[in-house]
Amino acid sequence: MINKLREAFPQIEENCITVIANKHAFVFEDPKLKKGVFVDATEKYHFHIQNNTKSSYNFIQNDDCVMKSIKGGQRDYVILNDNCIYFTEIKATDENLSVRRKKGIAQLENTIKFYLKKIDSINVESKNAIICFDNHKRIAQQASVSSKRKEFKVKYQIDLHEGNYISFD
């Protein structure tokens, strides 16, 4: 899948893609840098990725790398391996949960539409979108609001979740 994305988005800079083979990666959405940085598990982080496979996965910084200043916003990262993709949005703001959820879903939708205009289809077994809210403990992905989840699945054939943890199995 990464090769398909590189063909569709030749402007992806090498510093926008990180290949990760570690079992655990922790991402902190740095408000000053406006991008995700990898931190140690003992530091504050917004998102935890666990890789239970023997192969590596790709972490793509989407905001200001693949998608530059798209009206309506875009989500932060695309995280994928050969079998699974996660469109990921971190909402670490002081706004109430309902506002953050609504904005996060809109940003995920803008991003997915953008990607689907460039590539015919996303050919992996598991297709996911996840909204992560600022939290200091691990929260496994959960189904998002029922009506939005169903709508997302019908429109994009992508499962919508909330949480701050994903696992490649």
Side-chain angles (χ1 to χ4, degrees):
M1 185 69 197
I2 190 65
N3 291 333
K4 191 173 189 177
L5 289 177
R6 285 183 189 270
E7 286 174 25
F9 304 106
Q11 78 278 14
I12 295 179
E13 301 159 17
E14 285 304 313
N15 63 341
C16 295
I17 301 174
T18 305
V19 178
I20 301 173
N22 299 352
K23 180 156 178 113
H24 297 277
F26 300 88
V27 181
F28 175 72
E29 178 72 16
D30 190 306
K32 291 177 185 156
L33 297 174
K34 295 188 178 184
K35 67 181 239 176
V37 293
F38 294 98
V39 296
D40 189 83
T42 59
E43 298 176 68
K44 180 178 179 180
Y45 63 88
H46 293 115
F47 203 72
H48 175 193
I49 306 162
Q50 184 169 330
N51 185 11
N52 295 321
T53 70
K54 293 183 181 183
S55 58
S56 60
Y57 63 93
N58 296 280
F59 182 93
I60 301 171
Q61 174 75 40
N62 186 63
D63 209 356
D64 276 342
C65 271
V66 178
M67 295 175 74
K68 298 184 185 245
S69 302
I70 301 299
K71 187 177 180 178
Q74 59 269 357
R75 60 95 193 85
D76 300 313
Y77 317 108
V78 174
I79 306 166
L80 67 133
N81 67 10
D82 292 334
N83 301 314
C84 186
I85 188 166
Y86 284 91
F87 292 95
T88 308
E89 172 62 30
I90 294 176
K91 298 307 288 176
T93 67
D94 292 333
E95 296 173 310
N96 73 45
L97 185 62
S98 176
V99 170
R100 288 186 288 165
R101 181 179 290 119
K102 185 176 180 178
K103 286 182 178 180
I105 289 171
Q107 288 174 292
L108 287 165
E109 286 188 293
N110 284 343
T111 300
I112 291 165
K113 288 175 190 175
F114 180 84
Y115 273 68
L116 290 174
K117 282 182 187 174
K118 298 281 187 173
I119 55 177
D120 297 338
S121 63
I122 300 168
N123 295 321
V124 292
E125 290 174 29
S126 179
K127 298 174 246 181
N128 305 278
I130 188 165
I131 302 171
C132 169
F133 301 110
D134 196 11
N135 200 315
H136 302 289
K137 61 183 181 188
R138 182 171 125 175
I139 300 172
Q141 57 180 305
Q142 306 164 22
S144 191
V145 178
S146 182
S147 60
K148 280 294 181 187
R149 186 179 74 239
K150 289 176 187 173
E151 181 182 320
F152 223 82
K153 184 71 171 179
V154 169
K155 279 171 114 174
Y156 308 110
Q157 290 73 53
I158 293 175
D159 294 313
L160 179 62
H161 309 278
E162 293 179 10
N164 67 355
Y165 169 81
I166 62 171
S167 179
F168 288 105
D169 295 311

